[in-house]
Amino acid sequence: MSLWQRPLKRLQAIVEHGTYRFRINSLKGFVSLFLVGTVLSVALAACSGGGTGSNASSETPSAAPVAATKDNVELTLVSFAVTKAAHEAIIPKFIEQWKKDHNQTVVFKQSYGGSGSQTRAVIDGLEADVVHLALAGDTSKIEKAGLIQPGWEKEVPNNGIVSKSVAALVTRPGNPKNIKNWQDLSKDGIKLITADPKTSGVARWNFLALWNSVIKTGGDDAKATEFVTKVYKNVPLLTKDAREATDAFFKQGQGDALINYENEIILAEQKGEKLTAIIPDVNISIDNPIAVVDKNVDKHGTREVAEGFVKYLYTPEAQQEFAKLGFRPVDDTLTLSKEVADKFPKVKTLGTVADFGGWDGINKKFFADGAIFDQIQAKKK
């Protein structure tokens, strides 16, 4: 079923939210229902100014409003921390285009944070209409919680991947510790800043980049474990997300090196910061998925605009904004352009999630309770 052609599903959602079935088995049940209804009526009247406002009679308070019938619609976007600048550039363009095409104003509520933390928040009740997360494994967790329909990645282009990056090594100005590659991070006297893979999707990519650097150069799991253990012994603190890691390194002056997204480095340089950064020749393709949260959009009546926003993120206009702010575009026509080619250095050996068995296998092997990452952390104590 196409993401863009789901009118039957939308109609079903409208009917489900517009239909009420009550079963009253006793006088007590009737009284309880009456009291609940009275309290809700009073509360709703208070919220709407006593029902005298211009919008009071246009909506049925107890039914989910359908966005297509409203002049204004609110959309909640939940994303991982480092996408904030890109979305702030793209959202106004989408709002303008949607207003032009549909004569409807879209108001965005936005939430940014560590991908793992954002995932848990959505599962625990943060009613996102759209999620843009650091890794497909986090989106799959929301799917398994029953909020996103299976097959979400097949309903949009590029298997749901809407933004891409690679890992970068940032050093102090002039690179006084002479850090040139992943292997240098394991040396004595090096302090590395990175986020916690338990809470940050970016940090999971960082871990995979380190592991991948051994596997792609002929090492096995034993050598990779030995290397990554040495590296994490050089990590004085694990921040909650990539944004906090960046602040710890730049604003607080902690550490000799920082692993972060390439796009974060590009964004910092655009803001006038002078950085010493290396894009290692052996790297990992950091792929970030987008998805509509089916249960929430049907509840809110926002499916059409949510799907429209996701579709817009794949347009050349939106992908150009991603590229301007340091994300490698998923649009092949942009990737081949000279401007993009000059902006992003080529990576000699690029690993992918598929190389490690997909996110289910990766999470089980590395990040589950008691798995390799926990074992590495235990050795630090």
Side-chain angles (χ1 to χ4, degrees):
M1 180 169 53
S2 168
L3 177 63
W4 322 124
Q5 297 177 333
R6 299 166 83 170
L8 182 60
K9 180 176 178 64
R10 287 197 290 270
L11 179 60
Q12 180 183 3
I14 296 167
V15 172
E16 288 175 353
H17 285 94
T19 305
Y20 301 87
R21 300 179 179 89
F22 297 104
R23 190 174 180 179
I24 304 172
N25 296 323
S26 66
L27 178 60
K28 181 179 180 180
F30 176 84
V31 172
S32 297
L33 182 61
F34 176 81
L35 290 174
V36 169
T38 301
V39 171
L40 286 175
S41 298
V42 172
L44 288 167
C47 291
S48 61
T52 58
S54 59
N55 294 328
S57 61
S58 63
E59 299 176 11
T60 303
S62 54
V66 179
T69 67
K70 302 178 69 179
D71 292 334
N72 301 301
V73 58
E74 183 177 271
L75 202 67
T76 299
L77 169 67
V78 173
S79 191
F80 62 108
V82 300
T83 64
K84 188 172 187 290
H87 281 303
E88 286 180 344
I90 293 169
I91 284 173
K93 294 178 180 292
F94 169 74
I95 291 173
E96 180 180 1
Q97 187 65 48
W98 191 264
K99 179 71 172 178
K100 178 181 177 182
D101 294 343
H102 300 269
N103 194 30
Q104 186 179 56
T105 300
V106 184
V107 178
F108 275 81
K109 290 177 65 177
Q110 301 169 61
S111 173
Y112 300 94
S115 188
S117 300
Q118 295 289 75
T119 299
R120 284 191 294 275
V122 172
I123 292 171
D124 290 342
L126 175 57
E127 294 191 358
D129 296 297
V130 176
V131 288
H132 183 188
L133 299 172
L135 42 94
D138 283 344
T139 313
S140 294
K141 290 177 183 177
I142 300 175
E143 174 195 328
K144 290 174 183 176
L147 300 176
I148 296 177
Q149 292 181 355
W152 57 270
E153 70 278 13
K154 302 299 181 184
E155 295 178 345
V156 290
N158 202 40
N159 285 323
I161 304 303
V162 75
S163 58
K164 300 174 69 174
S165 193
V166 295
L169 290 176
V170 189
T171 70
R172 293 299 172 190
N175 195 8
K177 295 294 181 76
N178 198 30
I179 298 167
K180 297 179 179 179
N181 52 41
W182 298 115
Q183 295 300 317
D184 290 335
L185 299 178
S186 66
K187 293 179 178 179
D188 292 340
I190 299 294
K191 297 298 181 185
L192 170 69
I193 303 299
T194 184
D196 187 347
K198 292 289 189 176
T199 58
S200 168
V202 174
R204 295 194 178 196
W205 286 115
N206 293 351
F207 183 99
L208 282 181
L210 292 165
W211 189 274
N212 179 74
S213 71
V214 176
I215 301 300
K216 289 295 185 183
T217 52
D220 56 13
D221 278 9
K223 288 184 178 180
T225 301
E226 179 184 5
F227 168 67
V228 176
T229 299
K230 288 180 179 178
V231 172
Y232 276 89
K233 283 183 178 179
N234 288 340
V235 177
L237 78 162
L238 290 167
T239 62
K240 183 178 66 175
D241 58 39
R243 181 67 64 203
E244 287 190 5
T246 301
D247 289 345
F249 185 78
F250 288 110
K251 295 181 180 180
Q252 301 167 23
Q254 299 187 51
D256 304 303
L258 168 76
I259 307 178
N260 213 332
Y261 277 8
E262 176 188 45
N263 64 278
E264 283 285 90
I265 310 310
I266 293 173
L267 182 60
E269 290 174 338
Q270 289 175 353
K271 292 181 177 179
E273 297 182 31
K274 295 182 179 180
L275 305 179
T276 302
I278 303 112
I279 306 298
D281 283 340
V282 180
N283 219 306
I284 192 83
S285 181
I286 299 172
D287 302 332
N288 319 130
I290 193 86
V292 169
V293 185
D294 295 292
K295 185 173 181 179
N296 291 340
V297 297
D298 288 342
K299 176 181 178 181
H300 302 154
T302 54
R303 177 173 290 278
E304 183 179 10
V305 67
E307 291 178 352
F309 177 63
V310 170
K311 183 177 181 180
Y312 183 80
L313 293 180
Y314 287 94
T315 64
E317 293 78 14
Q319 285 294 308
Q320 284 173 353
E321 292 300 329
F322 276 122
K324 286 178 185 177
L325 292 163
F327 287 94
R328 296 188 175 217
V330 299
D331 186 328
D332 289 340
T333 58
L334 288 178
T335 302
L336 296 174
S337 71
K338 185 178 185 302
E339 180 183 358
V340 171
D342 291 344
K343 191 183 192 72
F344 302 107
K346 291 183 178 180
V347 174
K348 183 178 179 181
T349 304
L350 192 65
T352 67
V353 168
D355 295 337
F356 299 98
W359 278 111
D360 285 344
I362 288 169
N363 288 331
K364 182 178 180 180
K365 180 175 181 176
F366 297 116
F367 306 120
D369 290 343
I372 288 176
F373 179 74
D374 281 352
Q375 295 167 21
I376 288 172
Q377 287 298 98
K379 292 176 183 179
K380 293 174 62 175
K381 299 177 181 178

